[in-house]
Amino acid sequence: MKSTLTALALGCAMAVCGNGALAQSVHAAWAQIMGSDGPVQKTGGEMPLNLSLRVVTDQATDCTGFTLAARIPGLTEALVRPTWTPRHNRPGFGFDAVTVCQTDMNEDWDQVRLLASDGTTAITTNDGTDVVLAGAGRRTTAVPQFVVFGDTGCRGFGNARGSQDCSANSTGTGTRFLFEKIAAQAMATAPDLVIHLGDYRYDTERTKDWDKWNSDFFSRVASGALMQVPWAFVRGNHERCDRAGHGWYYFFGPNDDKITCIGDDPRLIKSWYFDLRDSRASNAAAPHRFVFVGTSPTIDKPSEHAENLALDAKSLAEAQMRFEQRQAVEKVDLWSREVAEFSQALAWANEVTAAGEQIGTWLVMHKPIWGLDTSGRYPRRVDPLVGAAFEDAVEKIQGTPCAPYQHDACGLKAVLAAHEHMMTNVVFSAAALPQQYVVGMSGVRLDNPPGAVDGDGLSMGGCRHDMSGLHMAQNVEGIAAEYRGRLSGTSGNDAFGFVQFTRDSDEPSGWAGTAIYVDKKAQTLRNGLNIGPASNFQDCRVP
């Protein structure tokens, strides 16, 4: 699926309830960036943007009881009575207390107020804040910028990887849960959109209920950040179907109402993208593309034994397959689809506008292709199987500008991911490979790499690694420099934060990045053009 964000930007009093009563508030509402298949490019070369407006309300509330007061820049506000659809909720999964209503949202709206069926009464969130959503039609003259969160859930107590206080007002010397504060800080930078890279829940994640989702995510942002800009959501490995996956599908999943979690379902979300254009009159550059790769939260590469079993099973009727053969077929089919999603992502990365301009592209996903592993030794495949699937897709495009990789000719400029609970910036000398941003420091207890805290911890230490053998590079000489994010003190509370990106055509990735921490101190993220000689870095492979 495809989509677009033109220049950037994106409120309950009384909604009619199913029993005739009136609801005074909703739990949350937001504008969500989706994909679209529209074949028409707009004048700036970008594709039309598909937005979904979603509302979480009490189970008894009838979705048809909401109206909208929508505004297009330069025009007066107009009353809209949209067609609402209640999202599919599987009974018995712990979400019977709430209903998620959705409707389409016009990309030209710069503001939407949520109203009751009378078209005048304002709907509020639970704390009395009017539900007013910022739309995609704002900030048409400003430099585009966005913020990124990753791994925002709370670990809780008694976890093998360390405890974390999840209470709303957590204080003290232990590791605190600071996502709400981080989100508020990010909104103070006036971003155009938010990209959430996945992992919204950790503590009792297998408990499929509204209360935990509300506690870890919605209650932290419902009256603030969630309404202030449009959001795009990635599914993390903690949103597997045997973990917190059903909640992810219910709240943030595709518009397809039939897609739900069943057991340990490894299904993939289909890849999609949106285009973001710098619409300032002084800037005629092509749009930038964000491809959300439809990878599975967990994946196993089939062995030769499994491939042979699957091949044999293909000749049998489904009902006659042995259990092991059925598993082999599923594993081979899933792997093939995983490789196909990366292939599609790379194809989109090589598209150009109707005028022949290259569209700079980032891959957006939960698990990094390369980056810092939890031992903190050197840039490597954090998840070898994700990297292997990507590598299989790259193998299919050998001889193109992306294989072997040529930065100026290949549309792929960077990879944005999370999963590792820290901030890491992996760059390659002379931009010999796409830059890798790992943003996993926005809430959950952090996994610090080894090393002493240097002063206030803001000195980004780099180390080098031979690039030979990394994806998209064949016998390339040079170094990969791994810049670690802030090394925290005793509790780790000073290393939580987010990353802000501002459009900058002079950057190899197309964007200038800044890591911003809870104490408001910041780090400028280096690129592959200014990392300096190899002698400046220790060898990452040396413990």
Side-chain angles (χ1 to χ4, degrees):
M1 293 187 294
K2 306 173 184 177
S3 118
T4 294
L5 213 52
T6 59
L8 269 161
L10 282 141
C12 10
M14 300 180 183
V16 177
C17 297
N19 59 6
L22 293 174
Q24 294 294 322
S25 64
V26 296
H27 298 290
W30 65 95
Q32 182 167 334
I33 302 170
M34 310 296 292
S36 74
D37 292 319
V40 180
Q41 286 187 341
K42 301 180 76 173
T43 55
E46 73 275 18
M47 302 296 292
L49 177 67
N50 183 351
L51 289 170
S52 176
L53 192 159
R54 299 191 179 183
V55 178
V56 180
T57 186
D58 289 332
Q59 190 275 333
T61 301
D62 183 352
C63 291
T64 61
F66 297 117
T67 58
L68 304 176
R71 187 181 69 190
I72 293 177
L75 301 178
T76 58
E77 193 176 67
L79 189 66
V80 179
R81 298 188 182 277
T83 299
W84 292 91
T85 303
R87 288 184 60 78
H88 180 68
N89 179 26
R90 290 178 61 82
F93 272 73
F95 295 96
D96 295 340
V98 296
T99 295
V100 181
C101 307
Q102 72 177 30
T103 190
D104 292 336
M105 187 171 175
N106 190 317
E107 69 169 320
D108 294 326
W109 294 344
D110 72 336
Q111 178 181 288
V112 179
R113 293 190 297 123
L114 189 64
L115 306 176
S117 56
D118 62 6
T120 58
T121 307
I123 301 293
T124 69
T125 55
N126 291 332
D127 68 356
T129 302
D130 286 357
V131 177
V132 182
L133 305 180
R138 68 184 180 98
R139 288 176 59 89
T140 56
T141 60
V143 179
Q145 61 182 34
F146 65 97
V147 296
V148 178
F149 305 133
D151 299 274
T152 61
C154 186
R155 182 70 73 186
F157 293 107
N159 191 284
R161 294 181 65 177
S163 296
Q164 184 175 11
D165 184 356
C166 301
S167 62
N169 299 305
S170 59
T171 59
T173 58
T175 302
R176 300 166 60 193
F177 183 40
L178 299 173
F179 174 50
E180 182 175 355
K181 181 177 181 179
I182 292 166
Q185 273 187 251
M187 292 306 102
T189 68
D192 299 311
L193 65 107
V194 168
I195 294 178
H196 193 302
L197 296 170
D199 282 4
Y200 309 78
R201 282 190 54 193
Y202 296 84
D203 184 32
T204 62
E205 63 185 9
R206 296 177 191 273
T207 302
K208 302 174 175 65
D209 61 31
W210 158 249
D211 289 341
K212 289 302 299 182
W213 269 93
N214 189 40
S215 174
D216 276 15
F217 183 77
F218 288 105
S219 69
R220 312 286 173 166
V221 293
S223 296
L226 197 59
M227 293 194 295
Q228 292 174 347
V229 290
W231 288 56
F233 298 97
V234 172
R235 180 188 179 195
N237 62 298
H238 284 266
E239 286 76 60
R240 286 185 348 206
C241 292
D242 62 337
R243 298 170 104 171
H246 182 72
W248 189 90
Y249 274 104
Y250 190 33
F251 301 119
F252 307 131
N255 283 334
D256 185 346
D257 196 50
K258 299 179 179 60
I259 299 180
T260 58
C261 273
I262 303 173
D264 186 15
D265 187 349
R267 76 173 75 237
L268 289 82
I269 301 294
K270 296 294 291 180
S271 298
W272 61 279
Y273 70 72
F274 69 86
D275 289 345
L276 171 59
R277 184 169 61 90
D278 183 349
S279 61
R280 293 171 295 167
S282 61
N283 192 312
H288 189 89
R289 177 164 294 173
F290 297 89
V291 176
F292 287 65
V293 185
T295 56
S296 172
T298 55
I299 186 170
D300 292 322
K301 185 173 184 179
S303 64
E304 184 177 352
H305 172 66
E307 290 176 340
N308 290 334
L309 277 176
L311 185 63
D312 293 340
K314 291 290 187 181
S315 63
L316 300 174
E318 179 70 28
Q320 294 178 319
M321 286 188 194
R322 298 192 308 273
F323 175 73
E324 187 182 7
Q325 288 177 313
R326 287 200 301 271
Q327 281 195 317
V329 169
E330 291 171 358
K331 184 176 291 188
V332 170
D333 288 347
L334 179 61
W335 180 260
S336 298
R337 295 201 305 274
E338 185 93 13
V339 174
E341 293 301 323
F342 274 119
S343 296
Q344 177 62 82
L346 289 169
W348 282 336
N350 275 319
E351 287 186 350
V352 297
T353 67
E357 299 172 296
Q358 183 186 83
I359 302 174
T361 300
W362 286 15
L363 301 187
V364 182
M365 49 204 294
H366 180 67
K367 290 185 177 181
I369 296 174
W370 47 74
L372 179 67
D373 71 333
T374 52
S375 69
R377 300 302 187 199
Y378 55 87
R380 52 159 258 178
R381 305 176 185 181
V382 173
D383 186 325
L385 295 175
V386 171
F390 179 73
E391 202 165 55
D392 278 11
V394 170
E395 186 63 30
K396 298 178 184 298
I397 60 169
Q398 287 296 323
T400 70
C402 290
Y405 182 70
Q406 302 170 49
H407 178 268
D408 291 338
C410 178
L412 180 58
K413 306 302 182 185
V415 180
L416 182 61
H419 188 61
E420 298 301 302
H421 300 162
M422 63 187 76
M423 203 293 295
T424 305
N425 176 32
V426 181
V427 297
F428 303 91
S429 58
L433 287 175
Q435 190 161 355
Q436 168 85 75
Y437 304 101
V438 180
V439 184
M441 79 299 201
S442 303
V444 74
R445 182 184 173 96
L446 301 175
D447 296 333
N448 282 331
V453 177
D454 179 14
D456 61 7
L458 287 174
S459 176
M460 297 190 76
C463 59
R464 69 178 185 274
H465 176 63
D466 186 352
M467 288 193 297
S468 298
L470 289 177
H471 313 293
M472 305 183 76
Q474 296 176 333
N475 301 317
V476 176
E477 294 183 359
I479 61 170
E482 167 192 277
Y483 291 97
R484 299 166 182 171
R486 190 177 195 179
L487 298 180
S488 67
T490 304
S491 68
N493 292 325
D494 55 354
F496 287 113
F498 65 96
V499 175
Q500 176 193 45
F501 290 99
T502 303
R503 192 74 166 113
D504 187 341
S505 58
D506 291 331
E507 289 285 325
S509 70
W511 298 80
T514 304
I516 302 175
Y517 297 92
V518 290
D519 59 3
K520 298 184 180 180
K521 292 182 178 179
Q523 295 168 320
T524 298
L525 304 187
R526 294 173 179 261
N527 61 49
L529 299 181
N530 59 10
I531 62 176
S535 59
N536 290 355
F537 303 94
Q538 296 178 340
D539 193 327
C540 293
R541 295 165 293 182
V542 177

